[in-house]
Amino acid sequence: MISTAFLVLHVGAGALALASGLTLMVLPGKGNDRHRRIGRVFGWSMAVSLAASVVLALVNFSSFLLAIAGFSAYLLAAGWRAARRRKAEPGMADRLIAGLMLGLALVMIVAGLTGAVGGAANVVMPVFGLIGGALACQDLMEVSRVGPPRIARHLSRMMGALIGTITAALVVNGPTLGLPPIATWLVPTVLVVPAIIWWNVRLRRVAAGRG
């Protein structure tokens, strides 16, 4: 009964996060009041969905799902910090969030490469671990956190969290759609990462005064 209730909560909040996240991707006018309102819907629905997924992973213990929830939680927290914090130097909270992700990334990479998890997780865990670790290192090392670089950081982390939401939706519905397990885990990354790269390149060009 508890599992069913949290599953409904997880799926419902995840669907709302997916809808609001995709809306944010296609709507013009980043940073305006509409963007901030929809962004709050995305952030809170993601937080609720992640909290419910942690409960589900603990009730029917799955280290894999716990790791993915931690990865998505890092992206959400780092994206929120990038939107809120306007100072150039990373704060203590930023260092703590990045440090926790580095520890989780190491666990994910080792678990995948040593076969501690089975099936598609053997590939997915190291891939997500490398992505999360690289982003966490950037959080710790990159000093420029104002202007376009700050916006690029915010968009990258929030769109990364969107990857987690789309992935979860495909994992739940993948068998019904006839998708192979590895596709349900990696297709969202392949589709959304180019958009993240495009936004970063565009914003860095703005920062350099070239467009």
Side-chain angles (χ1 to χ4, degrees):
M1 187 66 180
I2 293 178
S3 295
T4 302
F6 276 98
L7 179 60
V8 171
L9 182 62
H10 170 63
V11 173
L16 182 57
L18 177 59
S20 55
L22 291 175
T23 300
L24 287 171
M25 283 184 65
V26 300
L27 280 180
K30 300 292 188 291
N32 58 26
D33 288 340
R34 180 177 59 181
H35 177 91
R36 285 190 286 270
R37 286 196 299 270
I38 299 174
R40 282 193 289 270
V41 173
F42 173 75
W44 281 110
S45 55
M46 272 290 295
V48 171
S49 182
L50 286 171
S53 70
V54 169
V55 174
L56 291 170
L58 290 173
V59 171
N60 304 299
F61 187 76
S62 171
S63 57
F64 180 43
L65 293 179
L66 281 173
I68 297 302
F71 170 76
S72 298
Y74 153 71
L75 291 167
L76 184 64
W80 179 79
R81 287 286 299 174
R84 300 283 295 181
R85 185 176 176 83
R86 304 302 177 104
K87 296 181 180 179
E89 291 290 338
M92 183 61 69
D94 301 300
R95 297 182 188 279
L96 177 60
I97 292 169
L100 289 172
M101 183 62 238
L102 283 175
L104 178 60
L106 179 60
V107 171
M108 293 173 74
I109 293 170
V110 171
L113 296 180
T114 60
V117 289
N122 281 332
V123 176
V124 176
M125 289 278 269
V127 170
F128 278 34
L130 287 170
I131 293 172
L135 292 175
C137 286
Q138 184 186 47
D139 287 345
L140 293 171
M141 297 172 62
E142 190 172 307
V143 176
S144 181
R145 291 168 173 263
V146 294
R150 180 188 67 83
I151 299 171
R153 184 183 302 276
H154 168 66
L155 287 171
S156 296
R157 302 320 185 257
M158 286 305 192
M159 291 176 77
L162 179 61
I163 289 176
T165 304
I166 298 174
T167 300
L170 284 182
V171 168
V172 172
N173 298 290
T176 303
L177 298 174
L179 297 174
I182 193 66
T184 61
W185 286 107
L186 294 182
V187 163
T189 300
V190 172
L191 292 178
V192 179
V193 164
I196 294 175
I197 294 173
W198 181 81
W199 269 109
N200 273 273
V201 170
R202 181 179 176 183
L203 287 166
R204 289 181 187 280
R205 286 176 62 87
V206 170
R210 295 198 299 271

